[in-house]
Amino acid sequence: WCVPCLVSLDTLQELCRKEKLTCKSIGITKRNLNNYEVEYLCDYKVVKDMEYYLVKWKGWPNSTNTWEPLQNLKCPLLLQQFLNDKHNYLSQVKKGKAIIPKDNNKTLKPAIARYIVKKAKQRIALQKWQDELNRRKNHKGMIFVENTVDLEGPPTDFYYINEYKPAPGISLVNEVTFGCSCTDCFFEKCCPTEAGVVLAYNKNQQIKIPPGTPIYECNSRCQCGPDCPNRIVQKGTQYSLCIFRTSNGCGWGVKTLVKIKRMSFVMEYVGEVITSEEAERRGQLYDNKGITYLFDLDYESDEFTVDAARYGNVSHFVNHSCDPNLQVFNVFIDNLDTRLPRIALFSTRTIYAGEELTFDYQMKGSGDTSSDSVDHSPARKRVRTVCRCGAVTCRGYLN
Ligand SMILES: [Zn+2]
Ligand SMILES: [Zn+2]
Ligand SMILES: [Zn+2]
Ligand SMILES: [Zn+2]
């Protein structure tokens, strides 16, 4: 029998220390049973011209917090964070034109201390989430998480996946694939030719085909090695990206931390693969935000939809723009079933470090820019979400 424990490791460690118990499997040994490491600082006061900070000890419950004189603290970073958070809180209050009660400089207002503790806890939670994302991802680029805007923590109902998660009854490997035997896939009649299209990439790994044209990459049956110029999407995201809290009310967004050349592969759009009937059903249940995660695979049929609401990768957090810097392409690699293309996002221009990544939710799928090729489902047309992308060409609504 095995019963999963719902309590966090931190809580278990705190309990152990409180009860003076050692337990190797949760990292509490005789050696470190009485270790004290500052987790964060909670409060500040001055007594007889001495400065004190209230310390939350890592792995210890709040009841063991202690006031420590400033000169005892060996945590310059945490101290700096405390002062920054205090400063930010005060400047926010100022912006709100509220009257700040006169600080006597001897103690902190309880509201400030509460904010600082919330901020410290949020920082720890986001760091944990960032570690988890990087443990789960199987591509080269790192994932960072940043919120300097509000107190929002990690999403509670989101699970990171690297590839499509097919719903029961949907098979993503139901076709025997053709494999090429080129000595040089760039010059020879390779997998794309076999599928009746041209090679999608130039020698610099940039996409050179127009939107709406499918990509056929080399696959597991091909004789070529991993350096084949026709293996790009399958290698996954190469860039370090950051999931960050936007300051314009768009929730989380994604920015690149490095320069991305134009026409380069940035990320795949993954999620649960469901039937369009199921998508219709979910569309009725979802709110405006949930609906935007539904992505119709309408390359050649409209049988399937990708739902990235609960299961997804970084693309889950990429915001919509009416003037986007990413463009959608349909990709076939080990599954040649034209009803089930993979969705890859490529840069449409040079994107500089720090810029937010966006794609046009309305141009999902076929790349048909002319009309309402996306929205077959009446459920999605009924609710309209106001667009805040800020582009000159903004259409005003997300759907
Ligand atoms: Zn080849
Ligand atoms: Zn090939
Ligand atoms: Zn190849
Ligand atoms: Zn817009």
Side-chain angles (χ1 to χ4, degrees), residues 352-365:
Y352 294 95
E355 267 193 82
E356 179 169 5
L357 303 175
T358 53
F359 73 96
D360 187 342
Y361 288 0
Q362 287 283 54
M363 262 180 245
K364 291 167 176 180

Side-chain angles (χ1 to χ4, degrees), residues 139-142 205 232-241 258 265-267:
H139 52 76
K140 182 178 159 208
M142 292 290 289
Q205 313 188 333
I232 303 290
V233 171
Q234 58 192 268
K235 285 186 184 156
T237 297
Q238 302 294 304
Y239 308 103
S240 288
L241 305 176
V258 291
F265 169 66
V266 180
M267 68 176 80

